[in-house]
Amino acid sequence: MNMAIEMGNGKWHGSVGGIVSAPIEKVWTLVSQTKRLPEWMPMVERCTSLAGDEDEAGYVRLVSGFMFPEQDGERSWIKERLVSMNSSSHSFIYKMEASNVGLDGSVNSLKLVDYGDESTLIHWSFEINPLEDVSKDNIVDYLGFLYKSCINKIEGAIEATSRNVSSA
């Protein structure tokens, strides 16, 4: 379980990683499907397709839930566009185009690596535009915490799917 902060291009950078005890193909099947986001992202309530095909660049989705506490109690929402997806390298990049949480222009990259013994290394990196009245360390730590909690839920989501399939 690691986290790194990098400098460069005026944006704030961070990354988290973790190992999941599941084969890379099962992890990819889970993380690459928009409709399955709420299964492994505890802060996401809903993910709606807006335009395009979810495995092709240009695909647009709307993610909503409680990513960030809003003072009025409203749900956070982020409109994301798929920049690239590569099933053979098990990676994708999404750009946040609009949101009510100030992350417009942010980029998230997820890459899976076969770690052997039916396990998968997940590397999640992010790049955000600097925010006013917010400490860089605080927001990078918070996003790292959020994404780490997602990585930690992946194994359980895959196990739950396996149980549901075997009991059907």
Side-chain angles (χ1 to χ4, degrees), residues 115-157:
Y115 206 66
D117 292 330
E118 300 282 294
S119 62
T120 303
L121 172 65
I122 299 170
H123 180 77
W124 196 329
S125 59
F126 54 93
E127 169 181 288
I128 64 172
N129 293 318
L131 300 170
E132 285 185 34
D133 302 323
V134 176
S135 151
K136 174 183 175 181
D137 289 344
N138 286 352
I139 191 69
V140 168
D141 285 351
Y142 182 72
L143 288 173
F145 168 77
L146 275 184
Y147 298 149
K148 191 67 177 171
S149 69
C150 295
I151 291 171
N152 291 338
K153 292 245 342 164
I154 288 173
E155 196 172 320

Side-chain angles (χ1 to χ4, degrees), residues 21-35:
S21 295
I24 194 168
E25 290 304 329
K26 284 189 176 185
V27 176
W28 180 248
T29 297
L30 176 69
V31 302
S32 64
Q33 294 180 27
T34 289
K35 68 179 184 279

Side-chain angles (χ1 to χ4, degrees), residues 21-22 28 52 77-78 86-87 89-90 110 113 137 140 155 163 167:
S21 295
W28 180 248
W77 61 266
I78 301 169
N86 186 326
S87 295
S89 70
H90 301 97
L110 189 107
V113 177
D137 289 344
V140 168
E155 196 172 320
R163 281 194 304 274
S167 64

Side-chain angles (χ1 to χ4, degrees), residues 30-31 36-47 63-68 75-76 124 142-157:
L30 176 69
V31 302
R36 298 192 66 191
L37 230 53
E39 293 178 44
W40 62 280
M41 290 187 138
M43 67 293 234
V44 171
E45 283 186 322
R46 185 175 303 125
C47 191
V63 179
S64 61
F66 294 96
M67 286 78 80
F68 293 89
R75 285 163 176 76
S76 307
W124 196 329
Y142 182 72
L143 288 173
F145 168 77
L146 275 184
Y147 298 149
K148 191 67 177 171
S149 69
C150 295
I151 291 171
N152 291 338
K153 292 245 342 164
I154 288 173
E155 196 172 320

Side-chain angles (χ1 to χ4, degrees), residues 4-6 15 17-18 20 26 41 50 61 65 72 74 84 98 103 111 128-129 134 150 152-154 157-159 165:
I5 300 172
E6 304 161 11
S15 64
V20 174
K26 284 189 176 185
M41 290 187 138
L50 298 179
R61 67 186 184 187
D72 56 9
E74 284 294 307
S84 68
L103 292 178
K111 175 148 183 59
I128 64 172
N129 293 318
V134 176
C150 295
N152 291 338
K153 292 245 342 164
I154 288 173
I158 290 170
E159 289 171 2
V165 168

